[in-house]
Amino acid sequence: MVRRVSMDDARIQFPELSRVVSATGEALEIEQDGEPIVVVVTPEQWAALQRAEQRASTMVDELRARNAHHDPDDILAAVSAEVEDERQAMHEGRRFPL
């Protein structure tokens, strides 16, 4: 769950809001003019996000290396066909969206 507050409210209440984030693990989204501009999370959540980003980057690098000898147009065609198959399966009710 994400708690949302305006920039003005965050400015006034930041010490208390940061304690709530720390105690509950509930993210805090700070908005300006109704648009999110920053999210406050716990150090543990931040570390988990950084680890996930690193894993994703590593996976992309590994995929690039494994497929370096393939024609990019062939890869795009194969991926596009798989995506279309999944969309069709979801449309037909054979798969459920995440």
Side-chain angles (χ1 to χ4, degrees):
M1 188 61 149
V2 177
R3 182 174 184 176
R4 291 174 177 82
V5 297
S6 70
M7 175 64 86
D8 292 334
D9 289 342
R11 189 176 292 120
I12 295 166
Q13 303 171 25
F14 195 76
E16 175 59 26
L17 293 169
S18 62
R19 281 191 287 276
V20 170
V21 169
S22 180
T24 66
E26 179 183 18
L28 173 66
E29 187 175 274
I30 300 173
E31 300 177 340
Q32 188 167 25
D33 300 323
E35 295 293 323
I37 60 168
V38 68
V39 177
V40 179
V41 296
T42 65
E44 295 81 13
Q45 290 166 321
W46 177 244
L49 288 168
Q50 289 178 308
R51 285 190 305 273
E53 182 180 25
Q54 182 59 48
R55 282 192 309 271
S57 178
T58 299
M59 288 173 61
V60 167
D61 290 345
E62 289 170 359
L63 283 169
R64 282 187 179 135
R66 276 201 322 250
N67 291 295
H69 63 285
H70 292 291
D71 183 298
D73 291 334
D74 292 342
I75 293 172
L76 178 59
V79 170
S80 297
E82 288 296 322
V83 168
E84 185 53 37
D85 287 348
E86 285 300 311
R87 285 184 180 149
Q88 189 63 35
M90 287 171 50
H91 178 75
E92 295 170 359
R94 293 183 285 130
R95 301 261 197 305
F96 296 102
L98 298 178

